[in-house]
Amino acid sequence: MLSRSLTFPSLADFWQLGKPRVVALIVFCAAVGILLAAPPPADWPRLLLALCGIGLVAMGAAAANCLFERDRDAVMRRTAARPLVRGRLGQFEAAGYAAALTVGGLWLLLQFANPLATGLTLATFFGYAVVYTRWLKPATPQNIVIGGAAGAMPPVLGWAAVSGTIPAEAAVLFLIIYTWTPPHFWALALYRRDDYARAGLPMLPVTHGAAFTRLSILLYSLMLFAVTLLPFVIRLSGWLYLAAALWLNAGFALRAWRLYRADDAQGDALARGLFRFSIAYLTWLFAALLADRVVQWLW
């Protein structure tokens, strides 16, 4: 067997370090923010490059997260196969990769967007990779509530790339993702609570127990139901989005209610199902926003 010093990381290792599935959802939400800001067709090539910049910085932040959390990842089953944990990548390689992606993405934003979008993207990188990962996550069970602000920024970044402003419409999109984040992550933490306990992370199920976490998920799902109606209220969207939001929220709230009513034996399976549904939920909710806008354009 070759030693670590004689092996070379593959492109797949670097690709995995950037958490491509998570970044794909980030880029999609940023793209929806761009399109809802209604840029003229002549700006689309420029904004596509700006969107690439947002994606590169997101991958850089993900790589930095993996670098900072490599010791915790090693004791968690969910993350034990990551390249840094397995030794397929070294710390200097990961740091260089994260820095190159981040600098490259910020350069694209500065060239093809504007200073506001660039500054907000840099602040988002710092908020996730440093404030959340290094400070909040190991310090408080409210880590995901406070740190969720960084994860809710993609549509704001997209809108700012178009207009150089942050209007109320962009703030509503931010609020949707911000409210969605706690029940999404707490569902994961419920069925992975032993992992988080071994890693010494004070996630809500570890510090306050499963029953309290299930109640918190239910309450946040009801808040999310209300928040996702705001695009219709402020006339950012129309009836198509409203119908989709009502349907998706009914599914989210029903799953949260079943999880709340479940005992510990059933809870893990229901939490896993809610976590998976929550990813599809956000994707389809933002797709409905976009589809609604397309319908308005056609009419």
Side-chain angles (χ1 to χ4, degrees), residues 258-281:
R258 288 173 176 168
L259 178 61
Y260 170 69
R261 298 284 295 172
D263 55 28
D264 288 343
Q266 301 170 312
D268 284 358
L270 291 173
R272 187 187 299 270
L274 178 58
F275 173 73
R276 291 175 175 171
F277 175 79
S278 68
I279 299 172
Y281 167 94

Side-chain angles (χ1 to χ4, degrees), residues 167-203:
E169 293 87 347
V172 165
L173 299 180
F174 169 91
L175 190 59
I176 289 173
I177 302 180
Y178 182 76
T179 311
W180 165 87
T181 300
H184 165 71
F185 273 100
W186 285 336
L188 170 67
L190 261 178
Y191 71 88
R192 293 291 192 182
R193 59 188 174 275
D194 291 340
D195 264 0
Y196 287 112
R198 280 194 300 271
L201 292 171
M203 300 301 287

Side-chain angles (χ1 to χ4, degrees), residues 202-213:
M203 300 301 287
L204 197 64
V206 176
T207 60
H208 288 69
F212 183 84
T213 304

